[in-house]
Amino acid sequence: MINVLIIEDSTSIIDGLKDYMKDTDYNLTAKMNLKSARKYLDENTPDIIILDVGLPDGNGFKFYTDDIRERNIPTVFLTARDDEDDIVKGLDIGAQDYVTKPFSAKALLARIRRIIASSGKSGVIKARGISFDMDGMTVYKDGEKVALSSMELKLLQLLFININKVVTRDAILDKIWEWTGNDVDDHTVTVYFKRIREKLGTDLIETVRGLGYKVTNDEENA
Protein backbone atom coordinates (compact mmCIF):
# COMPACT_ATOMS: atom_id res chain seq x y z
CA MET A 1 0.00 0.00 0.00
CA ILE A 2 1.31 3.45 -0.98
CA ASN A 3 0.47 6.20 1.50
CA VAL A 4 -0.43 9.54 -0.07
CA LEU A 5 -0.89 12.75 1.92
CA ILE A 6 -2.90 15.52 0.30
CA ILE A 7 -2.78 18.99 1.88
CA GLU A 8 -5.74 20.78 0.30
CA ASP A 9 -8.64 22.88 1.59
CA SER A 10 -11.16 21.87 -1.10
CA THR A 11 -13.46 19.11 0.12
CA SER A 12 -14.63 18.41 -3.43
CA ILE A 13 -11.07 17.70 -4.60
CA ILE A 14 -10.37 15.53 -1.56
CA ASP A 15 -13.60 13.58 -1.93
CA GLY A 16 -13.03 13.11 -5.66
CA LEU A 17 -9.53 11.72 -5.15
CA LYS A 18 -10.61 9.49 -2.28
CA ASP A 19 -13.39 8.08 -4.41
CA TYR A 20 -11.06 7.47 -7.33
CA MET A 21 -8.33 5.86 -5.20
CA LYS A 22 -10.60 3.63 -3.11
CA ASP A 23 -10.09 0.58 -5.33
CA THR A 24 -6.37 1.14 -5.94
CA ASP A 25 -3.25 0.28 -3.94
CA TYR A 26 -3.10 3.87 -2.69
CA ASN A 27 -4.21 5.06 0.75
CA LEU A 28 -5.12 8.77 0.77
CA THR A 29 -4.91 10.87 3.94
CA ALA A 30 -6.18 14.45 3.74
CA LYS A 31 -5.27 17.50 5.81
CA MET A 32 -7.00 20.82 5.12
CA ASN A 33 -4.43 23.19 6.62
CA LEU A 34 -0.72 23.40 7.32
CA LYS A 35 -1.08 23.13 11.09
CA SER A 36 -2.73 19.71 10.92
CA ALA A 37 -0.37 18.63 8.14
CA ARG A 38 2.65 19.57 10.24
CA LYS A 39 1.32 17.54 13.17
CA TYR A 40 0.65 14.57 10.89
CA LEU A 41 4.19 14.69 9.48
CA ASP A 42 5.66 14.75 12.98
CA GLU A 43 4.18 11.28 13.48
CA ASN A 44 3.98 9.81 9.97
CA THR A 45 6.04 9.57 6.78
CA PRO A 46 3.87 9.29 3.66
CA ASP A 47 5.32 7.96 0.42
CA ILE A 48 4.28 11.08 -1.50
CA ILE A 49 2.64 14.45 -0.78
CA ILE A 50 0.19 16.42 -2.90
CA LEU A 51 0.48 20.00 -1.69
CA ASP A 52 -1.74 22.95 -2.52
CA VAL A 53 0.19 26.20 -2.80
CA GLY A 54 -2.54 28.46 -1.40
CA LEU A 55 -3.85 27.28 1.99
CA PRO A 56 -5.83 29.14 4.68
CA ASP A 57 -2.92 29.32 7.13
CA GLY A 58 0.09 29.72 4.89
CA ASN A 59 1.99 29.26 1.64
CA GLY A 60 2.71 25.79 0.28
CA PHE A 61 6.10 26.77 -1.12
CA LYS A 62 7.32 27.89 2.31
CA PHE A 63 5.82 24.83 3.99
CA TYR A 64 7.68 22.63 1.53
CA THR A 65 11.06 24.27 2.16
CA ASP A 66 10.55 24.45 5.95
CA ASP A 67 8.83 21.14 6.71
CA ILE A 68 9.01 18.71 3.78
CA ARG A 69 12.22 19.09 1.80
CA GLU A 70 14.54 17.86 4.54
CA ARG A 71 12.37 14.77 4.95
CA ASN A 72 13.01 13.79 1.29
CA ILE A 73 9.34 13.03 0.61
CA PRO A 74 8.41 13.29 -3.09
CA THR A 75 5.98 16.19 -3.52
CA VAL A 76 3.57 17.37 -6.21
CA PHE A 77 2.33 20.97 -6.01
CA LEU A 78 -1.38 21.29 -6.71
CA THR A 79 -2.71 24.78 -7.36
CA ALA A 80 -4.98 26.98 -9.42
CA ARG A 81 -2.00 29.11 -10.33
CA ASP A 82 -0.61 28.48 -13.80
CA ASP A 83 1.90 31.31 -13.83
CA GLU A 84 5.20 30.16 -15.33
CA ASP A 85 7.23 31.74 -12.52
CA ASP A 86 5.27 29.72 -9.94
CA ILE A 87 5.83 26.51 -11.87
CA VAL A 88 9.57 27.16 -12.15
CA LYS A 89 9.77 28.09 -8.46
CA GLY A 90 8.00 24.91 -7.39
CA LEU A 91 10.34 22.71 -9.39
CA ASP A 92 13.45 24.71 -8.50
CA ILE A 93 12.93 24.26 -4.76
CA GLY A 94 12.77 20.50 -5.21
CA ALA A 95 9.24 19.34 -6.00
CA GLN A 96 8.86 16.43 -8.40
CA ASP A 97 5.88 17.83 -10.33
CA TYR A 98 3.38 20.68 -10.56
CA VAL A 99 -0.31 20.20 -11.44
CA THR A 100 -2.76 23.03 -12.07
CA LYS A 101 -6.49 22.93 -11.39
CA PRO A 102 -8.73 21.72 -12.85
CA PHE A 103 -7.09 18.35 -13.32
CA SER A 104 -7.94 14.74 -14.11
CA ALA A 105 -7.74 12.35 -11.17
CA LYS A 106 -6.55 9.62 -13.53
CA ALA A 107 -3.79 11.82 -14.94
CA LEU A 108 -2.71 12.87 -11.43
CA LEU A 109 -2.52 9.24 -10.33
CA ALA A 110 -0.45 8.42 -13.42
CA ARG A 111 2.01 11.15 -12.44
CA ILE A 112 2.10 9.83 -8.87
CA ARG A 113 2.80 6.31 -10.13
CA ARG A 114 5.69 7.58 -12.23
CA ILE A 115 7.20 9.53 -9.33
CA ILE A 116 6.81 6.63 -6.91
CA ALA A 117 8.40 4.26 -9.43
CA SER A 118 11.41 6.51 -10.02
CA SER A 119 11.88 7.07 -6.28
CA GLY A 120 12.07 3.32 -5.71
CA LYS A 121 9.39 3.45 -3.00
CA SER A 122 6.78 1.45 -4.78
CA GLY A 123 6.64 -2.28 -4.25
CA VAL A 124 4.39 -2.95 -7.24
CA ILE A 125 3.79 -0.93 -10.40
CA LYS A 126 0.86 -1.94 -12.59
CA ALA A 127 0.08 -1.32 -16.25
CA ARG A 128 -2.38 -3.02 -18.60
CA GLY A 129 -2.77 -6.20 -16.58
CA ILE A 130 0.96 -6.52 -15.88
CA SER A 131 2.31 -6.05 -12.34
CA PHE A 132 6.02 -5.43 -11.71
CA ASP A 133 7.20 -6.12 -8.16
CA MET A 134 10.17 -3.78 -7.85
CA ASP A 135 11.36 -5.29 -4.57
CA GLY A 136 11.18 -8.91 -5.64
CA MET A 137 12.06 -8.21 -9.30
CA THR A 138 9.18 -10.40 -10.43
CA VAL A 139 6.50 -9.85 -13.06
CA TYR A 140 2.92 -11.07 -13.00
CA LYS A 141 0.24 -11.19 -15.67
CA ASP A 142 -3.28 -11.44 -14.29
CA GLY A 143 -1.81 -12.85 -11.07
CA GLU A 144 0.40 -15.45 -12.77
CA LYS A 145 4.19 -15.11 -12.61
CA VAL A 146 5.92 -14.49 -15.94
CA ALA A 147 9.33 -16.12 -16.37
CA LEU A 148 11.83 -13.54 -17.63
CA SER A 149 15.62 -13.63 -17.78
CA SER A 150 17.69 -11.29 -15.64
CA MET A 151 18.33 -8.95 -18.57
CA GLU A 152 14.69 -9.01 -19.64
CA LEU A 153 13.64 -8.07 -16.10
CA LYS A 154 16.08 -5.17 -16.00
CA LEU A 155 14.93 -3.84 -19.35
CA LEU A 156 11.26 -4.10 -18.40
CA GLN A 157 11.97 -2.45 -15.04
CA LEU A 158 13.65 0.43 -16.89
CA LEU A 159 10.44 1.02 -18.83
CA PHE A 160 8.25 0.73 -15.71
CA ILE A 161 10.41 3.21 -13.80
CA ASN A 162 9.89 5.62 -16.70
CA ILE A 163 6.22 4.73 -17.17
CA ASN A 164 4.44 6.91 -19.77
CA LYS A 165 7.81 8.23 -20.98
CA VAL A 166 9.87 7.15 -23.97
CA VAL A 167 13.17 5.47 -23.07
CA THR A 168 15.49 6.06 -26.00
CA ARG A 169 17.48 3.33 -27.68
CA ASP A 170 20.69 5.14 -26.76
CA ALA A 171 19.67 5.15 -23.09
CA ILE A 172 18.88 1.45 -23.27
CA LEU A 173 22.22 0.67 -24.93
CA ASP A 174 24.03 2.67 -22.24
CA LYS A 175 22.19 0.74 -19.52
CA ILE A 176 23.05 -2.62 -21.05
CA TRP A 177 26.71 -1.59 -21.15
CA GLU A 178 26.47 -0.43 -17.51
CA TRP A 179 24.92 -3.75 -16.44
CA THR A 180 27.12 -6.10 -18.46
CA GLY A 181 30.20 -4.21 -19.68
CA ASN A 182 29.34 -5.38 -23.19
CA ASP A 183 28.60 -3.28 -26.26
CA VAL A 184 25.46 -4.38 -28.11
CA ASP A 185 23.75 -3.07 -31.20
CA ASP A 186 20.20 -1.98 -32.03
CA HIS A 187 19.34 -5.43 -33.34
CA THR A 188 20.11 -6.98 -29.96
CA VAL A 189 17.78 -4.51 -28.25
CA THR A 190 15.04 -5.32 -30.77
CA VAL A 191 15.44 -9.04 -30.04
CA TYR A 192 15.26 -8.49 -26.28
CA PHE A 193 12.00 -6.58 -26.49
CA LYS A 194 10.55 -9.05 -28.98
CA ARG A 195 11.15 -11.84 -26.46
CA ILE A 196 9.70 -9.81 -23.59
CA ARG A 197 6.56 -9.07 -25.60
CA GLU A 198 6.15 -12.76 -26.48
CA LYS A 199 6.48 -13.81 -22.85
CA LEU A 200 4.06 -11.14 -21.62
CA GLY A 201 1.58 -11.89 -24.38
CA THR A 202 0.40 -8.27 -24.53
CA ASP A 203 1.07 -5.05 -26.43
CA LEU A 204 2.25 -3.41 -23.19
CA ILE A 205 5.56 -2.27 -24.71
CA GLU A 206 5.15 0.34 -27.41
CA THR A 207 7.82 0.98 -30.03
CA VAL A 208 8.17 4.70 -30.68
CA ARG A 209 9.59 4.77 -34.17
CA GLY A 210 12.97 6.46 -34.42
CA LEU A 211 13.19 6.99 -30.65
CA GLY A 212 12.83 3.97 -28.41
CA TYR A 213 10.27 2.19 -26.25
CA LYS A 214 7.67 3.02 -23.62
CA VAL A 215 5.15 1.43 -21.28
CA THR A 216 1.84 3.27 -20.95
CA ASN A 217 -0.66 2.59 -18.18
CA ASP A 218 -3.66 4.15 -20.02
CA GLU A 219 -4.17 6.76 -17.29
CA GLU A 220 -1.93 9.61 -18.42
CA ASN A 221 -4.26 10.62 -21.22
CA ALA A 222 -7.54 9.82 -19.51
Side-chain angles (χ1 to χ4, degrees), residues 30-81:
K31 299 298 175 183
M32 299 186 72
N33 56 60
L34 298 179
K35 181 179 179 180
S36 61
R38 187 175 289 111
K39 182 177 179 181
Y40 177 85
L41 288 172
D42 285 341
E43 301 171 357
N44 302 274
T45 303
D47 295 301
I48 191 166
I49 295 173
I50 305 169
L51 175 60
D52 192 8
V53 170
L55 288 154
D57 57 344
N59 178 275
F61 290 141
K62 188 174 188 304
F63 183 75
Y64 176 83
T65 56
D66 291 349
D67 293 86
I68 297 176
R69 187 163 59 187
E70 64 181 12
R71 302 173 193 263
N72 294 316
I73 302 173
T75 300
V76 177
F77 281 118
L78 179 63
T79 175
R81 305 178 186 179

Side-chain angles (χ1 to χ4, degrees), residues 44-175:
N44 302 274
T45 303
D47 295 301
I48 191 166
I49 295 173
I50 305 169
L51 175 60
D52 192 8
V53 170
L55 288 154
D57 57 344
N59 178 275
F61 290 141
K62 188 174 188 304
F63 183 75
Y64 176 83
T65 56
D66 291 349
D67 293 86
I68 297 176
R69 187 163 59 187
E70 64 181 12
R71 302 173 193 263
N72 294 316
I73 302 173
T75 300
V76 177
F77 281 118
L78 179 63
T79 175
R81 305 178 186 179
D82 59 0
D83 182 84
E84 188 177 76
D85 290 340
D86 275 344
I87 295 173
V88 171
K89 178 178 180 180
L91 298 176
D92 278 351
I93 63 177
Q96 275 64 45
D97 211 337
Y98 193 108
V99 179
T100 58
K101 305 172 188 175
F103 62 91
S104 158
K106 288 185 178 181
L108 176 60
L109 187 58
R111 290 174 185 240
I112 290 172
R113 288 187 188 280
R114 185 167 62 229
I115 293 166
I116 289 292
S118 63
S119 71
K121 291 188 176 183
S122 176
V124 179
I125 304 298
K126 300 177 181 179
R128 297 187 183 181
I130 303 296
S131 301
F132 198 119
D133 184 336
M134 295 288 178
D135 299 324
M137 285 296 285
T138 51
V139 176
Y140 298 87
K141 178 184 179 183
D142 300 326
E144 295 292 327
K145 186 175 179 180
V146 180
L148 297 174
S149 70
S150 175
M151 180 58 66
E152 290 165 353
L153 282 168
K154 288 179 179 180
L155 290 171
L156 188 58
Q157 182 190 43
L158 181 63
L159 298 189
F160 267 79
I161 288 174
N162 292 280
I163 200 161
N164 296 316
K165 287 186 174 181
V166 176
V167 181
T168 67
R169 281 181 170 268
D170 285 345
I172 292 167
L173 290 169
D174 286 346
K175 278 295 184 180

Side-chain angles (χ1 to χ4, degrees), residues 17-35:
L17 287 176
K18 280 187 174 180
D19 183 63
Y20 182 74
M21 291 183 179
K22 67 182 179 182
D23 294 322
T24 70
D25 52 345
Y26 289 80
N27 175 54
L28 186 68
T29 298
K31 299 298 175 183
M32 299 186 72
N33 56 60
L34 298 179
K35 181 179 179 180

